[in-house]
Structures are given as structure tokens and as C-alpha cells.
Amino acid sequence: QRVSFAAFQLQLFTVMNGLNKLCLAIDTLNKTVGRVVAWLILATVLLSVFTAIARKFGIGSNGWLEGQWYLFSAVFLLGAAYTLQADQHVRVDVLSKRWSAKTRALIDIVGHVLFLLPVAVCLAWLGWHDFMQVWQHNEMSADAGGLARWPVKLLIPVGFGLLILQVLSEIGKRIQVIVNGEPT
């Protein structure tokens, strides 16, 4: 059967509206995580200062040093999706400034689908298997007074999972640019 153009437009509007809501929900999630993670930077600095001062008084712990490493890992892994959402990743804009919004959107989609998404999925999958192995063996740090390894290993699949969601949101937003002609 032949679908009228008005019916097609209504279906397209419905799909785009749903896509917009999904992208907004993912963006909101990653903005929230990003704001929480920003406070982890302060926690990392404070822990570093505390560790340095405590060492001057002969008080030290490998757990405190590993805590700094865990916090830095959390900032890096959990903040990646927020950084992508805020468009703050390093990019070379020498050529793209001259292109139309639709061309930039198409290039972003291709880059996300061919490069970022496969890498993020692979690292999330490998990270999950690594986490499960550490969890099942209750692996601890080899250093005296060190911490359990599973929390930092869990950051890998969670961080890349958030990045996967954000990549899907970015692809959805670029599709909207191509369909609606809105600027990026």
C-alpha cells in the first residue's frame, strides 16, 4: 500500500520525538554522573594532601595511595561520557568549520559508528570479564595494606557503558541534525 506523505511525516515526527527524549535522558544521566565525578577531583586532591602530610609524620598506608589511584580512575572513566556529551574532547576543527551542519553530523555519525562505538563496546565487554574474574577470586592488592581490586575493575565496564550510551545519544542527535537541518 502507498503511505501518504502526511502519514509519513507524522511517523517521522513520532520517531524523532522519541529519539529526542531518549537522547535527553542519556544526556541527563551523564551530566549527573559528570557533576558527581567533578567532586571526586577534589576528593583526590584532599586525599593526596592528607597522604603527603601523614607520610611526614611517619604515618602511611598503601591503601591511601591506591585510593588516589582509584579516584583518578573514577574521574577518567566515569567522566569520559560527560566529556563527549559536553563536546570537550580534543578534535581538529581546521576543516570542519567550513562544512555545513549536516556534513559535520554525517562525519560524526560515521566516526562514532566505525571507531568509537566498537572500541567502547569491546572495552566494556573485556572490562566486564576482567571485573568478574577479580570479583570471583576476591583479588586484593599485592601491597601490604592495599585495597580490594574489584571496585576499580568495575569502573571499566561502567565507564565504557556510560560512554556507549552517550555515543548512541550523540548519534541520535546527529540524525536529528540531518533530518531536521538543525545546527550542531
Side-chain angles (χ1 to χ4, degrees):
Q1 288 189 13
R2 191 172 182 172
V3 178
S4 72
F5 185 68
F8 172 75
Q9 283 182 315
L10 180 61
Q11 288 176 343
L12 182 62
F13 175 78
T14 304
V15 168
M16 297 311 290
N17 192 32
L19 182 61
N20 188 39
K21 287 180 182 179
L22 179 62
C23 292
L24 184 61
I26 293 170
D27 288 352
T28 301
L29 169 67
N30 281 319
K31 281 181 187 177
T32 303
V33 171
R35 288 184 181 126
V36 170
V37 166
W39 285 101
L40 293 181
I41 296 170
L42 177 62
T44 304
V45 170
L46 293 175
L47 182 57
S48 298
V49 168
F50 173 76
T51 302
I53 292 171
R55 243 184 292 147
K56 294 292 181 186
F57 294 103
I59 305 168
S61 167
N62 286 329
W64 295 341
L65 294 171
E66 289 180 8
Q68 293 173 37
W69 176 65
Y70 283 22
L71 289 171
F72 176 76
S73 299
V75 168
F76 179 79
L77 289 165
L78 301 178
Y82 174 72
T83 305
L84 178 63
Q85 187 274 325
D87 197 25
Q88 295 299 309
H89 283 287
V90 176
R91 54 168 66 211
V92 180
D93 289 334
V94 175
L95 295 175
S96 69
K97 288 180 183 178
R98 300 177 187 168
W99 297 332
S100 70
K102 287 185 179 186
T103 301
R104 285 192 310 268
L106 184 60
I107 290 170
D108 282 348
I109 289 171
V110 169
H112 289 328
V113 169
L114 293 181
F115 300 107
L116 186 53
L117 193 57
V119 168
V121 168
C122 181
L123 290 173
W125 184 78
L126 291 172
W128 178 256
H129 287 286
D130 195 29
F131 160 72
M132 288 304 295
Q133 187 174 27
V134 169
W135 174 265
Q136 290 170 351
H137 294 105
N138 197 25
E139 186 178 320
M140 297 292 290
S141 171
D143 297 323
L147 304 174
R149 289 285 185 224
W150 70 264
V152 76
K153 294 290 186 172
L154 181 59
L155 290 172
I156 297 168
V158 170
F160 281 103
L162 290 171
L163 185 60
I164 290 165
L165 289 174
Q166 192 59 49
V167 168
L168 296 175
S169 174
E170 296 303 313
I171 291 170
K173 289 185 277 188
R174 297 317 184 271
I175 289 170
Q176 291 177 357
V177 168
I178 291 171
V179 170
N180 298 331
E182 298 173 6
T184 56

